[in-house]
Amino acid sequence: MKKIIILLTVFAVSFTTISCDSLLDIEPDGKIIPKTVADYRLVLTSAYAKYPTHKSMTALRTDEITLNEDSGDFISYRETAMWKDVNPDQVTIQFPWVSFYTVIFYTNQIITEGQKTMETSPEKDQLLAEAYALRAYAYFDLVNLFGKPYNSSTSSQDRGVPLNLEIDLEKTLKPSTVQEVYNQINTDLAQANTLMILNKQPAGVNYRFSKAALHAFEARTSLYQNNWKKAKESVDKALTINNKLADLNTSQLAPNHFTSPESILALDNTLNSPIQYMAFASNELLSTYDASIDKRFPIYFEKNGTHYKVIKGGNSEFKTSFRVAELYFIKAESLLKLNQLEEAKTVLSVVLKNRYSAEGLTKIQTNISKMNASVFMNFILEERVREFALEGQRWYDLRRANQKKITHQISGKEYILQENDVRYTIEIPQKAKLNNPYL
């Protein structure tokens, strides 16, 4: 444990240029232990900074992109696009596992130890709230990568991921069920709610959780659990803090940019530079847009020879985890599931008028007016494809709503992910299994 605590503090201090001596006490037995709010803010900043860039990799498994096989990184990622999770090549970059639990370890340290030593203050409450929220977010991503998709009928039996709420990276744990993981997520979110102080975080530090981000996260979590009423309630709470959308009829700023008026939480690097360089937008994705009326198209994509490059990612300015448009999508879907079709259409139209030309909006609204509930649900999912292209949402949407057949052409060979394929749940990395026989 001594070694782990020292390592934790080294990581925290390495994130800043401020000297160790000015911030941390050195105990007589040689252990360097964070104590103050300032100390633990450094620990939490390190946790945020180390959050995995996994959503870039999920894009490789979807129908959103095709690979640029001339890229130098092609060899490292090609097996991900083949859905080859078992016995991958040694050069294949695998989905993160330890990285998530490292972030969780940091948050556990803040929640269990920081709570004892930090002096009572609003800053302490804010810090603890963010730690609870970040831990919940890490478990949400873990269970949606490596656990079965949530199904209320089977979630109490379906295998999820191990839950570790202690300061111990070496503890060997059995996987909890999907339901148990979601229960812990909901418990952490509730605890964060009692402590959260800030409604919003300013641009530049809006990788940190706030009340708006917390409510957005609650809404997404409730949506995935088919709790439509709670999802709608959480959306409404978030919208009271920020309901601004980027109007693409007047602005060329991508709505997922961290300075966009609709940015809520800018933590995830959803399309990192290696994968952005290696990927072209797939014909299947491009065909979902009507480029003559959809204002997103020229902001999201750029012609590159016979292909289109994705230009809404590739650097940290496009980090995004939650934004306002998603709130409207969640509310529209929830209202629809609550048998309020016309209200759902009205809510989604708020987004559409900021995405289509005036002529296009008239055409779209005319079509929507004729849709029954089933057709409109399909339309919501299609609009989600267009709206959140390459933002890390597609793989999760496929898992929860439409585990369709996907075909990839790689090096002249066809690879197929079948409908409802077991590979919609990613295999836990072999190294993790070797270290934990319960996996």
Side-chain angles (χ1 to χ4, degrees), residues 398-412:
L398 284 165
R399 277 170 45 91
R400 74 179 182 90
N402 176 20
Q403 294 184 27
K404 69 175 203 173
K405 177 181 177 180
I406 302 176
T407 301
H408 287 167
Q409 296 285 341
I410 302 173
S411 301

PDB file of all heavy atoms in Angstrom, residues 398-412:
ATOM      1  N   LEU A 398     -25.524   1.121 -30.982  1.00  0.00           N
ATOM      2  CA  LEU A 398     -25.706  -0.174 -31.642  1.00  0.00           C
ATOM      3  C   LEU A 398     -25.971  -1.272 -30.612  1.00  0.00           C
ATOM      4  O   LEU A 398     -26.837  -2.130 -30.812  1.00  0.00           O
ATOM      5  CB  LEU A 398     -24.465  -0.523 -32.468  1.00  0.00           C
ATOM      6  CG  LEU A 398     -24.289   0.219 -33.786  1.00  0.00           C
ATOM      7  CD1 LEU A 398     -22.868   0.048 -34.310  1.00  0.00           C
ATOM      8  CD2 LEU A 398     -25.294  -0.255 -34.831  1.00  0.00           C
ATOM      9  N   ARG A 399     -25.241  -1.228 -29.522  1.00  0.00           N
ATOM     10  CA  ARG A 399     -25.419  -2.256 -28.489  1.00  0.00           C
ATOM     11  C   ARG A 399     -26.815  -2.191 -27.852  1.00  0.00           C
ATOM     12  O   ARG A 399     -27.438  -3.229 -27.632  1.00  0.00           O
ATOM     13  CB  ARG A 399     -24.364  -2.069 -27.380  1.00  0.00           C
ATOM     14  CG  ARG A 399     -23.011  -2.674 -27.685  1.00  0.00           C
ATOM     15  CD  ARG A 399     -21.978  -2.244 -26.654  1.00  0.00           C
ATOM     16  NE  ARG A 399     -22.441  -2.312 -25.272  1.00  0.00           N
ATOM     17  CZ  ARG A 399     -22.308  -3.380 -24.485  1.00  0.00           C
ATOM     18  NH1 ARG A 399     -21.738  -4.483 -24.950  1.00  0.00           N
ATOM     19  NH2 ARG A 399     -22.724  -3.350 -23.235  1.00  0.00           N
ATOM     20  N   ARG A 400     -27.280  -0.999 -27.587  1.00  0.00           N
ATOM     21  CA  ARG A 400     -28.524  -0.892 -26.829  1.00  0.00           C
ATOM     22  C   ARG A 400     -29.772  -0.927 -27.694  1.00  0.00           C
ATOM     23  O   ARG A 400     -30.845  -1.311 -27.225  1.00  0.00           O
ATOM     24  CB  ARG A 400     -28.538   0.394 -25.983  1.00  0.00           C
ATOM     25  CG  ARG A 400     -28.747   1.681 -26.771  1.00  0.00           C
ATOM     26  CD  ARG A 400     -28.762   2.909 -25.874  1.00  0.00           C
ATOM     27  NE  ARG A 400     -29.000   4.128 -26.650  1.00  0.00           N
ATOM     28  CZ  ARG A 400     -30.199   4.630 -26.912  1.00  0.00           C
ATOM     29  NH1 ARG A 400     -31.285   4.025 -26.455  1.00  0.00           N
ATOM     30  NH2 ARG A 400     -30.314   5.733 -27.633  1.00  0.00           N
ATOM     31  N   ALA A 401     -29.654  -0.555 -28.969  1.00  0.00           N
ATOM     32  CA  ALA A 401     -30.865  -0.373 -29.765  1.00  0.00           C
ATOM     33  C   ALA A 401     -30.934  -1.207 -31.035  1.00  0.00           C
ATOM     34  O   ALA A 401     -32.027  -1.527 -31.498  1.00  0.00           O
ATOM     35  CB  ALA A 401     -31.016   1.118 -30.133  1.00  0.00           C
ATOM     36  N   ASN A 402     -29.782  -1.546 -31.608  1.00  0.00           N
ATOM     37  CA  ASN A 402     -29.828  -2.187 -32.926  1.00  0.00           C
ATOM     38  C   ASN A 402     -28.519  -2.902 -33.195  1.00  0.00           C
ATOM     39  O   ASN A 402     -27.631  -2.371 -33.854  1.00  0.00           O
ATOM     40  CB  ASN A 402     -30.088  -1.124 -34.010  1.00  0.00           C
ATOM     41  CG  ASN A 402     -30.059  -1.718 -35.399  1.00  0.00           C
ATOM     42  OD1 ASN A 402     -30.211  -2.932 -35.583  1.00  0.00           O
ATOM     43  ND2 ASN A 402     -29.857  -0.874 -36.393  1.00  0.00           N
ATOM     44  N   GLN A 403     -28.387  -4.115 -32.706  1.00  0.00           N
ATOM     45  CA  GLN A 403     -27.152  -4.876 -32.925  1.00  0.00           C
ATOM     46  C   GLN A 403     -27.180  -5.492 -34.319  1.00  0.00           C
ATOM     47  O   GLN A 403     -27.306  -6.690 -34.509  1.00  0.00           O
ATOM     48  CB  GLN A 403     -27.016  -5.955 -31.836  1.00  0.00           C
ATOM     49  CG  GLN A 403     -26.813  -5.380 -30.454  1.00  0.00           C
ATOM     50  CD  GLN A 403     -26.586  -6.441 -29.406  1.00  0.00           C
ATOM     51  OE1 GLN A 403     -26.091  -7.532 -29.696  1.00  0.00           O
ATOM     52  NE2 GLN A 403     -26.958  -6.153 -28.175  1.00  0.00           N
ATOM     53  N   LYS A 404     -26.998  -4.613 -35.278  1.00  0.00           N
ATOM     54  CA  LYS A 404     -27.159  -5.012 -36.675  1.00  0.00           C
ATOM     55  C   LYS A 404     -25.902  -5.688 -37.220  1.00  0.00           C
ATOM     56  O   LYS A 404     -24.833  -5.671 -36.607  1.00  0.00           O
ATOM     57  CB  LYS A 404     -27.489  -3.785 -37.524  1.00  0.00           C
ATOM     58  CG  LYS A 404     -26.341  -2.800 -37.666  1.00  0.00           C
ATOM     59  CD  LYS A 404     -26.718  -1.690 -38.629  1.00  0.00           C
ATOM     60  CE  LYS A 404     -25.481  -1.032 -39.211  1.00  0.00           C
ATOM     61  NZ  LYS A 404     -25.798  -0.075 -40.261  1.00  0.00           N
ATOM     62  N   LYS A 405     -26.038  -6.251 -38.379  1.00  0.00           N
ATOM     63  CA  LYS A 405     -24.912  -6.843 -39.093  1.00  0.00           C
ATOM     64  C   LYS A 405     -24.062  -5.730 -39.691  1.00  0.00           C
ATOM     65  O   LYS A 405     -24.570  -4.798 -40.305  1.00  0.00           O
ATOM     66  CB  LYS A 405     -25.425  -7.763 -40.199  1.00  0.00           C
ATOM     67  CG  LYS A 405     -24.335  -8.384 -41.069  1.00  0.00           C
ATOM     68  CD  LYS A 405     -24.959  -9.268 -42.149  1.00  0.00           C
ATOM     69  CE  LYS A 405     -23.909  -9.838 -43.090  1.00  0.00           C
ATOM     70  NZ  LYS A 405     -24.527 -10.697 -44.151  1.00  0.00           N
ATOM     71  N   ILE A 406     -22.743  -5.824 -39.516  1.00  0.00           N
ATOM     72  CA  ILE A 406     -21.804  -4.843 -40.070  1.00  0.00           C
ATOM     73  C   ILE A 406     -20.723  -5.589 -40.841  1.00  0.00           C
ATOM     74  O   ILE A 406     -20.206  -6.607 -40.371  1.00  0.00           O
ATOM     75  CB  ILE A 406     -21.156  -3.990 -38.964  1.00  0.00           C
ATOM     76  CG1 ILE A 406     -22.223  -3.260 -38.139  1.00  0.00           C
ATOM     77  CG2 ILE A 406     -20.180  -2.973 -39.561  1.00  0.00           C
ATOM     78  CD1 ILE A 406     -21.661  -2.487 -36.964  1.00  0.00           C
ATOM     79  N   THR A 407     -20.369  -5.071 -42.007  1.00  0.00           N
ATOM     80  CA  THR A 407     -19.336  -5.685 -42.836  1.00  0.00           C
ATOM     81  C   THR A 407     -18.199  -4.695 -43.060  1.00  0.00           C
ATOM     82  O   THR A 407     -18.438  -3.532 -43.407  1.00  0.00           O
ATOM     83  CB  THR A 407     -19.913  -6.126 -44.190  1.00  0.00           C
ATOM     84  OG1 THR A 407     -20.976  -7.053 -43.975  1.00  0.00           O
ATOM     85  CG2 THR A 407     -18.846  -6.786 -45.052  1.00  0.00           C
ATOM     86  N   HIS A 408     -16.985  -5.142 -42.855  1.00  0.00           N
ATOM     87  CA  HIS A 408     -15.798  -4.336 -43.125  1.00  0.00           C
ATOM     88  C   HIS A 408     -14.932  -5.031 -44.180  1.00  0.00           C
ATOM     89  O   HIS A 408     -14.744  -6.255 -44.118  1.00  0.00           O
ATOM     90  CB  HIS A 408     -14.958  -4.148 -41.858  1.00  0.00           C
ATOM     91  CG  HIS A 408     -15.552  -3.207 -40.857  1.00  0.00           C
ATOM     92  ND1 HIS A 408     -15.092  -3.101 -39.557  1.00  0.00           N
ATOM     93  CD2 HIS A 408     -16.572  -2.316 -40.962  1.00  0.00           C
ATOM     94  CE1 HIS A 408     -15.793  -2.199 -38.914  1.00  0.00           C
ATOM     95  NE2 HIS A 408     -16.701  -1.698 -39.745  1.00  0.00           N
ATOM     96  N   GLN A 409     -14.410  -4.259 -45.116  1.00  0.00           N
ATOM     97  CA  GLN A 409     -13.457  -4.755 -46.096  1.00  0.00           C
ATOM     98  C   GLN A 409     -12.065  -4.303 -45.677  1.00  0.00           C
ATOM     99  O   GLN A 409     -11.783  -3.110 -45.624  1.00  0.00           O
ATOM    100  CB  GLN A 409     -13.790  -4.208 -47.488  1.00  0.00           C
ATOM    101  CG  GLN A 409     -15.118  -4.655 -48.057  1.00  0.00           C
ATOM    102  CD  GLN A 409     -15.077  -6.103 -48.539  1.00  0.00           C
ATOM    103  OE1 GLN A 409     -14.008  -6.653 -48.778  1.00  0.00           O
ATOM    104  NE2 GLN A 409     -16.252  -6.691 -48.719  1.00  0.00           N
ATOM    105  N   ILE A 410     -11.191  -5.275 -45.367  1.00  0.00           N
ATOM    106  CA  ILE A 410      -9.848  -4.949 -44.890  1.00  0.00           C
ATOM    107  C   ILE A 410      -8.841  -5.824 -45.623  1.00  0.00           C
ATOM    108  O   ILE A 410      -8.950  -7.059 -45.606  1.00  0.00           O
ATOM    109  CB  ILE A 410      -9.737  -5.163 -43.366  1.00  0.00           C
ATOM    110  CG1 ILE A 410     -10.770  -4.303 -42.632  1.00  0.00           C
ATOM    111  CG2 ILE A 410      -8.325  -4.835 -42.878  1.00  0.00           C
ATOM    112  CD1 ILE A 410     -10.855  -4.578 -41.148  1.00  0.00           C
ATOM    113  N   SER A 411      -7.889  -5.176 -46.280  1.00  0.00           N
ATOM    114  CA  SER A 411      -6.827  -5.885 -47.016  1.00  0.00           C
ATOM    115  C   SER A 411      -7.399  -6.911 -47.979  1.00  0.00           C
ATOM    116  O   SER A 411      -6.897  -8.035 -48.104  1.00  0.00           O
ATOM    117  CB  SER A 411      -5.855  -6.553 -46.032  1.00  0.00           C
ATOM    118  OG  SER A 411      -5.259  -5.594 -45.179  1.00  0.00           O
ATOM    119  N   GLY A 412      -8.472  -6.520 -48.650  1.00  0.00           N
ATOM    120  CA  GLY A 412      -9.068  -7.373 -49.666  1.00  0.00           C
ATOM    121  C   GLY A 412      -9.920  -8.509 -49.140  1.00  0.00           C
ATOM    122  O   GLY A 412     -10.377  -9.369 -49.916  1.00  0.00           O
TER     123      GLY A 412
END
